[in-house]
């Protein structure tokens, strides 16, 4: 078959791949191998060293595997396929096998590592994140901001901004729910994604009913979109923190 439309920076041999299924399978095997190597690395650390060692495992981005007609690339769009990444912590005082469901951000890693290693916290400035210690005992998701250059190889490129947040953040501030249908998810668990496009326009997704981010509800819920835009502006202006609305 014809070679896939893969990123231009890939080596020529890789750009000759013709099967999407083969490529996705190879990617999943690569993840499994990385997982095995990480286990090998941790097993090699002596117990007396592990007892005083903090390990953090995360990633810089996800990967789009045909979502939004975007194959095996990242960086151009702000959909969850490119933004959703793992964060695994291990070390003294941390519970084993505990999964925390609330949303956190990559900027929270440094404050968390400083807290785990008893270093003083970073200066209280916008964009410094927060320590995640204690969230294993219960937490509430806070907005997470991401940005991407919407155009490449041009002067003054447009920049897209996204804010992924609990629906309660949007609905209670605007007085308008994104979806009036009942949901099994609580307000804190039910998430929304707002994207402000640098070239103009905006999109709003209800991630509970539309996890693939294919249905823009900004037009159907203009007050919610305006509320999300206001929250994003606060983040971009450098607010140190945002508080969830009272229930």
């Amino acid at each position: 078959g014809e070679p896939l439309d893969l990123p231009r920076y890939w080596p020529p041999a890789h750009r000759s791949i013709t099967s999407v299924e083969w490529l996705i399978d190879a990617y999943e095997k690569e993840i499994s191998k990385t997982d095995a190597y990480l286990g090998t690395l941790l097993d090699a650390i002596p117990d007396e060293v592990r007892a005083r060692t903090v390990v953090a495992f995360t990633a810089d981005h996800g990967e789009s595997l045909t979502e939004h007609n975007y194959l095996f690339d990242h960086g151009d769009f702000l959909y969850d396929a490119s933004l959703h990444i793992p964060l695994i912590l291990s070390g003294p005082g941390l519970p084993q096998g505990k999964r925390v469901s609330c949303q956190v951000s990559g900027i929270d890693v440094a404050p968390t590592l400083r807290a785990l290693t008893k270093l003083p916290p970073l200066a209280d400035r916008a964009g410094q994140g927060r320590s995640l210690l204690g969230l294993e005992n219960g937490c509430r998701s806070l907005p997470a901001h991401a940005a991407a250059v919407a155009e490449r190889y041009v002067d003054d490129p447009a920049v897209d901004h996204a804010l992924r947040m609990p629906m309660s953040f949007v609905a209670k501030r605007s007085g308008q729910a994104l979806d009036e249908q009942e949901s099994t998810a609580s307000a804190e668990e039910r998430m929304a994604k707002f994207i402000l496009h640098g070239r103009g326009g905006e999109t709003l997704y209800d991630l509970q009913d539309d996890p693939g981010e294919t249905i823009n509800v900004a037009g159907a819920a203009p007050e919610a979109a305006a509320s999300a835009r206001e929250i994003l502006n606060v983040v971009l202006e450098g607010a140190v923190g945002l508080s969830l609305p009272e229930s």
Side-chain angles (χ1 to χ4, degrees), residues 29 58 145 204 207 233:
K29 289 178 179 176
T58 188
H145 168 251
L204 181 65
L207 299 180
N233 287 337

Side-chain angles (χ1 to χ4, degrees), residues 16 27 30 38 45 60 65 71 81 90 92 102 115 117 125 135 147 149 164 175 200 204 211-212:
S16 65
Y27 181 61
E30 183 181 62
L38 179 62
I45 301 176
D60 55 344
L65 303 175
L71 177 60
S90 173
C102 66
T117 52
R125 297 182 309 198
L135 294 191
V149 176
R164 196 180 194 276
L204 181 65

